[in-house]
């Protein structure tokens, strides 16, 4: 029997991202199970968004002709009709990302967009942009689900929970555990949808403690045995840049020291920071790599659609982990499917021996009433100690933004495992604050 599902309206915030065409490919791939009556593309940077306008319109006209397509820079138009708002904004665009990565390297510190000093600076920009966006949405639409993928998700999630504690339709999400599950599925040669995870941690700072299938069979020991003797690679390694392959490769190195659980790939920045700095090019970072590869390729493809009446032989970009997760989560919530994902939620006793107000990342289900996570239980001292230090960094970062407090920002960076040295923390904070004046400023309290 064919089940005809209700069609919904979604808005994509940050539609000028070079990831958007592949997200549109995911919308097309899921069109039978997640039909849409309207898709609104919104960005404050119309120059970037307009580069993809013709291509996206042609793809959706060919594949989903009954779906209304709107491109806008008007907030009211963007949010009024939305059942779900999918947020992938980057406050400061690629220019500020480049500074986030390069400035820390000048001080011998990890230059990464979500971790360490760069993640701090990006987080301080993202908090302000996200708070403004939530106010804008709620001014015209009280019921829309706000599904936020804006980084650094841990800092943004904690800030939004503090500022909007009663907004039950505001979720913060990350695609990295989902992406790793796809890689595990390839290693095990099983469909990804047949796998489930037991996982705990903070965003970009967590561990898989079991991987099992829907029949209840654990594959965890098989995976660990494989990774003991084989290099860990993303499922689409042949399409990934060299720096991403290095990110996965250090999972093997981590397991040489701590083989109990499988780590999130981002833990490399906190366990091997000196090694990563030594291998980094201070004048050419991932921001440059992305601009010269994915962004260049996407914009060149989209440029070929200008002036065309049909898509013709132009490729429809598909297979995006990021895009697939966004659509699967919106589908699970709006159609009340209660499918399982690794998601961020307030702790509230899920990990009893960890701060209750923290935003933790655990396996859980998503339906029309929001997230429901299984209690994980107490965590062991090693992981508890690591997480408490990271959570203190996140909390002090959020408080420094709310209070405009320089001292708390300095404390946050000194606590961060990728920094530690207060002299370096102060030097990099001052340098980052100088270039971020249009977005955030701090004062001595």
């Amino acid at each position: 029997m064919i089940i005809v599902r209700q069609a919904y309206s979604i808005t994509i915030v940050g539609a000028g991202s070079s990831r958007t065409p592949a997200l549109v490919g995911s919308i097309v791939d899921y069109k039978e199970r997640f039909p849409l009556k309207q898709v609104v593309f919104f960005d404050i940077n119309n120059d970037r968004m307009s580069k993809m306008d013709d291509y996206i319109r042609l793809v959706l006209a060919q594949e989903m002709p009954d779906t209304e397509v709107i491109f806008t820079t008007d907030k009211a138009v963007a949010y009024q009709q939305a059942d779900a708002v999918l947020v992938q904004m980057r406050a400061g665009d690629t220019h500020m990302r480049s500074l986030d990565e390069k400035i820390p390297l000048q001080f011998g510190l990890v230059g990464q967009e979500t971790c360490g000093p760069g993640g701090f600076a990006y987080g301080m920009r993202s908090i302000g942009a996200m708070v403004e966006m939530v106010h804008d949405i709620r001014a015209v639409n009280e019921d829309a689900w706000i599904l936020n993928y804006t980084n650094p998700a841990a800092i943004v999630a904690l800030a939004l929970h503090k500022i909007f504690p009663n907004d039950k339709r505001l979720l913060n999400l990350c695609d990295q555990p989902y992406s790793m599950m796809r890689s595990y599925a390839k290693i095990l040669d099983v469909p990804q949808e047949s796998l489930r995870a037991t996982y705990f941690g903070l965003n970009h700072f967590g561990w898989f403690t079991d991987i099992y299938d829907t029949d209840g069979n654990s594959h965890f020991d098989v995976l660990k045995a494989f990774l003991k003797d084989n290099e860990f690679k993303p499922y689409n390694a042949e399409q990934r840049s060299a720096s991403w392959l290095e990110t996965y490769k250090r999972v093997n190195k981590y397991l040489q020291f701590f083989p109990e659980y499988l780590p999130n790939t981002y833990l490399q920045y906190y366990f091997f920071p000196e090694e990563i700095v030594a291998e980094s090019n201070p004048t050419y970072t991932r921001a440059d790599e992305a601009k010269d590869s994915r962004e260049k390729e996407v914009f060149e493809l989209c440029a070929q659609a200008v002036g065309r009446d049909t898509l013709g032989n132009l490729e429809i970009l598909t297979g995006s982990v990021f895009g697939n997760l966004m659509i699967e989560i919106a589908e699970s919530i709006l159609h009340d499917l209660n499918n399982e994902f690794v998601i961020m939620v307030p702790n509230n006793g899920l990990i009893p021996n960890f701060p209750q107000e923290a935003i933790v990342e655990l396996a859980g289900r998503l339906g029309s009433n929001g997230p429901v996570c299984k209690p994980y239980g107490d965590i062991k001292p090693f992981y508890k100690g690591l997480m408490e230090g990271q959570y203190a960094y996140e909390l002090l970062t959020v408080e420094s933004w709310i209070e405009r407090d320089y001292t708390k920002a300095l404390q946050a960076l000194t606590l961060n495992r990728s920094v530690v040295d207060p002299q370096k923390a102060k030097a990099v904070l001052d340098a980052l604050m100088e270039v971020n004046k249009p977005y955030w400023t701090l004062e001595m309290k």
Side-chain angles (χ1 to χ4, degrees), residues 22-35:
L23 170 56
V24 170
S26 296
I27 290 172
V28 169
D29 282 347
Y30 287 79
K31 64 183 179 182
E32 301 300 330
R33 51 192 262 192
F34 189 56

Side-chain angles (χ1 to χ4, degrees), residues 31-55:
K31 64 183 179 182
E32 301 300 330
R33 51 192 262 192
F34 189 56
L36 296 172
K37 60 184 177 183
Q38 183 186 79
V39 183
V40 179
F41 297 89
F42 170 75
D43 203 301
I44 60 173
N45 187 337
N46 192 51
D47 289 340
R48 282 183 64 91
M49 185 168 64
S50 64
K51 292 180 180 180
M52 296 172 280
D53 186 318
D54 292 88
Y55 173 81

Side-chain angles (χ1 to χ4, degrees), residues 350-376:
L350 295 169
I351 302 176
N353 65 335
F354 195 69
Q356 298 307 291
E357 69 279 9
I359 303 296
V360 295
E361 198 167 47
L362 299 167
R365 296 185 179 277
L366 284 171
S368 59
N369 292 319
V372 177
C373 288
K374 297 173 286 188
Y376 183 86

Side-chain angles (χ1 to χ4, degrees), residues 394-413:
E394 295 170 3
L395 180 61
L396 285 165
T397 298
V398 170
E399 289 181 350
S400 73
W401 184 89
I402 293 173
E403 301 168 23
R404 300 292 188 258
D405 191 328
Y406 179 92
T407 300
K408 286 192 173 182
L410 180 59
Q411 290 172 343
L413 285 170

Side-chain angles (χ1 to χ4, degrees), residues 198-217:
T198 305
Y199 186 97
F200 77 91
L202 305 167
N203 179 246
H204 284 185
F205 203 95
W207 295 264
F208 291 92
T209 63
D210 197 8
I211 301 292
Y212 58 96
D213 61 34
T214 49
D215 293 324
N217 303 305

Side-chain angles (χ1 to χ4, degrees), residues 95-107 109-113 115-125 393 397 406 409 413 418-419 424-442:
H95 170 68
M96 292 307 297
R97 175 186 176 178
S98 180
L99 295 176
D100 292 341
E101 294 172 350
K102 292 182 172 68
I103 288 174
L105 287 170
Q106 295 172 11
F107 301 95
L109 299 170
V110 167
Q112 210 278 334
E113 62 168 327
C115 303
F120 168 86
Y122 184 16
M124 295 286 277
R125 294 196 306 275
Y393 153 74
T397 298
Y406 179 92
L413 285 170
S418 73
V419 182
K424 288 187 175 183
K426 185 180 189 308
V428 76
L429 173 58
D430 291 346
L432 288 168
M433 190 164 63
E434 180 65 27
V435 299
N436 276 278
K437 283 181 178 178
Y439 302 95
W440 53 268
T441 56
L442 301 171

Side-chain angles (χ1 to χ4, degrees), residues 188 210-211 218-227 260 262:
L188 296 168
D210 197 8
I211 301 292
S218 176
H219 300 276
F220 202 57
D221 289 341
V222 172
L223 278 171
K224 288 203 294 182
F226 177 89
L227 293 174
E260 184 176 23
L262 297 177

